Amino acid sequence: MAEEAAQEQRSPTAPRPVRCIVKLGGAAITNKGELESINEESLRSACAQLRQAMSESEGDGAPEKVLGMDWSKRHGDPADPAVDAEWIAGMAGLGLDTNFIVVHGAGSFGHFQASRSGVHKGGLHSTLVKAGFVATRISVTSLNQEIVRALAREGIPSVGMSPFACGWSTSLRKLASANASQIIQSLHAGFVPVLHGDAVLDELLDCTILSGDVIIRHLAQLLSPKYVVFLTDVHGVYDRPPTDPNAVLLKEIEVDGKGSWSVVKPALLQGNNKGVEISVAAHDTTGGMETKILEAAAIARLGIDVYITKAGTEHSLRALKGDVSSDSEDWLGTIIRSSK
C-alpha cells in the first residue's frame, strides 16, 4: 500500500533529487538514561555539521555570520531576541543547499510514555492506551520543536512535520498511508522538513508507533536521495553489542536484490550474515538497531548508499557531505550498499 502511494505521489514537478536524508538517532541527541533530556552538545554539533555540509561556499577560513532563525525567547534568556532585519533583508540568499530531509528518533522522549501505556500494541478502547497516545505525542513533538529550533539557530530553514498530523497511518504496524505532498512542497519552497518517529493510527490495531527508520525508508523510495546518513552514539554496526570489548565494527555490508545482506569488510567476517548480535533496550518500542539495519538494507536495495556513523565526529561530517567510499580506510563507520 505504501509503495502504491509512493508511485502516485511522484510527479514531473517534483524537486531535484534530494541530496541526503539524515537520521538523527535518539541515542545521539538525547540522554537516554534521563527522561526527556536533550544532549545539548551533541545536538548542537550535529546541527553545525549539517550547516557545513549544506554550505555552498568554500569559505576563507574566517567564521561566517549565521542568520539565526529562532526568534523566540528561551527560558532563562535575559532579553528578547535581537533580529537584524535590515541585514537580513539585504542578503542575496542563504548560501545553503537545503535539499536535505531530517528525521529524528525519540531517545529519552516518547519511549517511556509509549512503553508504559502499551501504545505500540494498540487498543484505543483502553483508557490507558488513549492517555498514553496523547502523552507520547506531547513528548515527541516537544523534542521535534527543540530540534527545529537548534537547526534554525544554525541558519537552516527547517520546519517540523509530524507524521500523525500529515495523515500517515499503518495497518498491522506496516505503513499503509503516507502523504508526502507537504514534504515535497516544503522542499520546493527551500525548507528542510524535520520529521520524527510518532504515535499514529492503525487500521486494525487502532494505534501503534511508527519509527523514524521506517519513515526514512519510505522517503528514500519516494524521493531517491543521493545517499542516506544515520547518526548514532556509536561508530556504526558491530558484530555484537559495542560495549563488548571484542566487538568488531562492520565497515561494509552488501545487500542483494532479495534483501539478504552479508559482510564485505572486515575480511575476517566476510560473507557473515548470521553472527551479528542485536540488543534492544527494554523501553525501546521501535525495534532499535535491528529495525535500523533492516530499513537500511531496504534502502540499499534501491541503489542508495547508507552511511551509519557516530554523531559529532569528523566521520559524521564526511558522511553528511557524501565524502565516503568503500576505499576510505580512515573513515570510521558502516557503509551499507547494493551488491549490484
Side-chain angles (χ1 to χ4, degrees), residues 26-27 30-37 107-108 283:
T30 72
N31 300 306
K32 292 200 84 169
E34 302 175 38
L35 180 62
E36 297 185 342
S37 171
S108 61
H283 65 275

Side-chain angles (χ1 to χ4, degrees), residues 163-201:
F164 174 83
C166 290
W168 290 44
S169 63
T170 57
S171 179
L172 280 179
R173 302 190 182 92
K174 301 292 184 182
L175 193 58
S177 176
N179 188 339
S181 59
Q182 194 173 3
I183 297 170
I184 293 172
Q185 289 170 12
S186 297
L187 289 166
H188 263 301
F191 291 110
V192 175
V194 184
L195 292 86
H196 58 88
D198 204 359
V200 297
L201 299 179

Side-chain angles (χ1 to χ4, degrees), residues 77-134:
D77 287 350
D80 293 342
V83 179
D84 190 344
E86 186 175 347
W87 172 68
I88 296 170
M91 293 180 68
L94 297 176
L96 300 176
D97 174 7
T98 57
N99 218 26
F100 281 64
I101 296 174
V102 175
V103 181
H104 65 84
S108 61
F109 290 72
H111 286 301
F112 166 77
Q113 291 86 350
S115 62
R116 190 69 176 268
S117 59
V119 169
H120 55 298
K121 299 176 182 177
L124 285 174
H125 58 276
S126 162
T127 304
L128 175 62
V129 172
K130 184 163 288 185
F133 189 96
V134 173

Side-chain angles (χ1 to χ4, degrees), residues 22 24 29 40 42-52 54 66-70 74 94 96 100-104 143-160 191-195 231 320:
V22 182
L24 296 178
I29 58 173
E40 300 284 358
S42 181
L43 177 59
R44 186 163 48 246
S45 174
C47 293
Q49 288 192 345
L50 262 169
R51 178 182 173 79
Q52 285 182 265
M54 292 177 180
V66 173
L67 167 55
M69 299 181 187
D70 181 5
R74 296 178 64 81
L94 297 176
L96 300 176
F100 281 64
I101 296 174
V102 175
V103 181
H104 65 84
L143 175 61
N144 181 253
Q145 183 182 51
E146 289 305 312
I147 291 173
V148 168
R149 294 186 72 173
L151 289 165
R153 288 193 290 275
E154 286 293 333
I156 299 172
S158 49
V159 287
F191 291 110
V192 175
V194 184
L195 292 86
L231 299 181
L320 291 170

